[in-house]
Amino acid sequence: MKLATQIIEDIRNGKADALLTDIYVDESLLDTQKERYIAAIEKFISLYGDKEVEVFSAPGRSEVSGNHTDHQHGEVLAAAINLDIIAITAPRDGEIKVLSDDYDLKAVAVDDLEKKAEEEGTSEGLIRGTLARFKELGLHIGGFEAYMTSEVLQGSGLSSSAAFEVMIGTVLSGLYNDMTVSPVLIAQIGQYTENVYFGKPCGLMDQCASSVGALIHIDFKDNDHPVVEKVDVDFSSFHHSLCIVDVHASHADLTDDYAAIPTEMKEVAHFFGKEFLREVSEDEFKAHIPELREKMSDRCVIRALHFFKEDARVEKAVSALKNNDFDTFKSVIKSSGDSSYKYLQNIYSNHDETNQAVSIALGLSEDILGNKGVCRVHGGGFAGTIQAFVEDDYVETYKTEIEKYFGKGSCHILKVRKYGGKKVEL
């Protein structure tokens, strides 16, 4: 560990240039990231004093293929991106105290780990749940004080909550477990925390993509031991960029919409005596559709149909990338988006059908892109963001045109970063 002021001096003297370029991929971001790190460390000093600190980073994620398949033990293709949370930290006796940007979180005592109903849906609940799960698993825990700042905006569809969960787990791994807690276990702890303490029935994809890093193909058939494969491709060789467009629609009050998707898919699985759709064959499912329709809503059936087709699309997308067949990859992405719109039905909320920002963004993007790219809903859906793969020589045109409708800065041109949750050795 180094004194905070020493790290600032090292950053200013260029000693961190190679490391920061490696983490954030894009050399054009170096000066911005240096300024960001210095400002964060200075803020930590103003809060807690100049002392020895450790610095950590946890990225946001982009779901590339596999929309709402993870919670049914399916397969996904996801990527860590070069937008992240950074945390300046130091050990603290008895409690975790965090200022996250301008939000001052209440201190969480490390010896008070019972779930609290009033903390559902809060960052404090995520911290307490992570501590509790670490302890339950026999891992070391302890307090710390931190200043965190995030580029992964809440409601952006880039999984700010998963990045926060991964950050807390990575800090505990770094400060109290010598960074020995595996990225997959940190992801599983994050999922447990979000399910039990935060009260959101999420799958494991978001946390896994953030914690592991790079472009990864994850098979959740055995959710306790997911198979994680890094897909070794150079996206730049395809001459397309990944764009994420923030449609500026809030995720607030959408928990019931998100929860209904796994609930309805599981209702179909339960018909066959199974817990998850991954345990049911598509042929068996189709053979019983008339009976299913008698026992449950048609939306359960159509969402199950999406699952089976979407799960198969993931392997097709991975295979296309490995074979440098980007045209097939793009056709898979378009099919995924069409299925999400028609069958999964997570483009807008049926409880508020008058607000359809994602629908507008998709319609405009298809018009703007023509044959220059493809687009689809990104992440959980209903609000948040859309995703587009755009030809490099058309990216600036797409960005300029789509931002006419959603505002300057709404279109993010991203890179896949190789690292997940990480101690930044400054």
Side-chain angles (χ1 to χ4, degrees):
M1 297 177 76
K2 290 182 183 177
L3 275 175
T5 48
Q6 180 61 58
I7 294 176
I8 290 174
E9 185 178 341
D10 288 346
I11 294 173
R12 285 181 172 149
N13 290 336
K15 292 183 179 180
D17 286 8
L19 174 60
L20 294 177
T21 300
D22 187 39
I23 293 173
Y24 295 98
V25 188
D26 188 343
E27 282 190 21
S28 68
L29 299 176
L30 178 59
D31 288 343
T32 299
Q33 290 299 338
K34 289 171 71 171
E35 292 170 5
R36 178 179 177 232
Y37 272 72
I38 289 170
I41 297 167
E42 289 176 339
K43 182 67 173 182
F44 177 93
I45 293 171
S46 73
L47 293 169
Y48 309 113
D50 185 15
K51 59 183 68 175
E52 290 186 337
V53 297
E54 295 278 18
V55 181
F56 297 89
S57 164
R61 71 94 183 100
S62 175
E63 172 203 285
V64 179
S65 183
N67 196 213
H68 281 281
T69 54
D70 57 331
H71 50 67
Q72 296 305 301
H73 291 198
E75 300 183 44
V76 298
L77 177 63
I81 58 170
N82 59 340
L83 298 176
D84 68 344
I85 301 172
I86 59 173
I88 318 303
T89 70
R92 181 181 179 119
D93 289 339
E95 65 181 15
I96 292 177
K97 184 70 183 77
V98 174
L99 179 71
S100 182
D101 287 309
D102 293 327
Y103 188 59
D104 191 14
L105 303 184
K106 296 176 183 176
V108 175
V110 299
D111 60 357
D112 181 12
L113 303 182
E114 293 295 318
K115 177 187 172 184
K116 300 183 185 301
E118 66 271 20
E119 287 184 347
E120 282 196 6
T122 69
S123 298
E124 290 86 351
L126 294 176
I127 293 171
R128 198 178 308 276
T130 303
L131 282 167
R133 191 62 171 161
F134 261 69
K135 186 173 182 180
E136 206 173 280
L137 294 171
L139 300 168
H140 299 296
I141 62 173
F144 62 83
E145 53 201 16
Y147 174 69
M148 298 185 187
T149 183
S150 178
E151 296 175 321
V152 190
L153 301 177
Q154 290 188 354
S156 68
L158 299 171
S159 292
S160 57
S161 61
F164 183 80
E165 293 153 19
V166 168
M167 174 60 80
I168 299 300
T170 303
V171 173
L172 290 173
S173 179
L175 292 183
Y176 295 105
N177 295 273
D178 298 321
M179 287 301 290
T180 60
V181 186
S182 77
V184 171
L185 182 54
I186 288 174
Q188 291 170 323
I189 291 169
Q191 183 200 22
Y192 167 87
T193 297
E194 189 157 339
N195 289 172
V196 177
Y197 278 71
F198 191 81
K200 182 178 178 180
C202 69
L204 184 55
M205 179 195 63
D206 294 350
Q207 293 84 354
C208 212
S210 177
S211 191
V212 174
L215 181 68
I216 54 174
H217 172 209
I218 317 169
D219 187 340
F220 293 111
K221 186 174 183 178
D222 180 353
N223 210 49
D224 292 332
H225 303 92
V227 177
V228 180
E229 171 199 12
K230 290 196 175 184
V231 182
D232 188 17
V233 296
D234 177 10
F235 248 92
S236 65
S237 68
F238 300 125
H239 307 295
H240 282 69
S241 295
L242 169 60
C243 298
I244 300 293
V245 180
D246 185 352
V247 303
H248 301 301
S250 173
H251 279 167
D253 301 321
L254 291 173
T255 297
D256 289 345
D257 291 288
Y258 294 124
I261 294 176
T263 297
E264 291 178 4
M265 288 185 181
K266 285 182 178 181
E267 191 173 342
V268 175
H270 292 163
F271 173 88
F272 296 99
K274 306 296 184 182
E275 184 65 22
F276 304 101
L277 281 178
R278 181 65 180 274
E279 303 170 83
V280 180
S281 77
E282 183 179 358
D283 287 344
E284 187 179 18
F285 159 70
K286 286 181 176 177
H288 289 84
I289 284 178
E291 297 161 70
L292 288 165
R293 294 186 64 200
E294 290 178 1
K295 294 183 176 296
M296 61 193 69
S297 73
D298 281 351
R299 194 172 71 172
C300 296
V301 177
I302 200 68
R303 282 178 162 170
L305 181 63
H306 164 83
F307 167 81
F308 289 112
K309 298 301 184 185
E310 183 75 352
D311 206 40
R313 272 189 285 267
V314 172
E315 290 196 1
K316 190 174 181 180
V318 172
S319 176
L321 289 175
K322 289 180 176 178
N323 292 321
N324 295 311
D325 182 359
F326 205 69
D327 286 339
T328 295
F329 171 79
K330 287 195 295 181
S331 74
V332 173
I333 297 303
K334 186 179 188 313
S335 295
S336 173
D338 290 344
S339 181
S340 292
Y341 209 142
K342 292 188 291 187
Y343 309 135
L344 184 63
Q345 300 177 12
N346 67 330
I347 307 304
Y348 59 90
S349 171
N350 288 332
H351 300 103
D352 186 16
E353 70 278 0
T354 60
N355 289 310
Q356 296 196 31
V358 174
S359 306
I360 292 171
L362 291 170
L364 290 169
S365 292
E366 288 184 357
D367 187 48
I368 295 165
L369 289 169
N371 64 357
K372 298 291 187 179
V374 294
C375 62
R376 49 154 279 192
V377 66
H378 181 248
F382 301 111
T385 58
I386 68 164
Q387 169 193 93
F389 288 94
V390 185
E391 292 180 9
D392 285 340
D393 60 5
Y394 198 70
V395 165
E396 289 304 323
T397 300
Y398 175 70
K399 178 179 173 66
T400 298
E401 291 300 313
I402 200 67
E403 287 188 348
K404 288 179 181 177
Y405 303 100
F406 295 100
K408 188 173 178 58
S410 59
C411 180
H412 304 277
I413 303 171
L414 304 177
K415 303 286 187 182
V416 176
R417 91 174 205 172
K418 68 179 79 169
Y419 302 108
K422 177 179 177 57
K423 180 191 288 188
V424 183
E425 304 277 4
L426 293 169

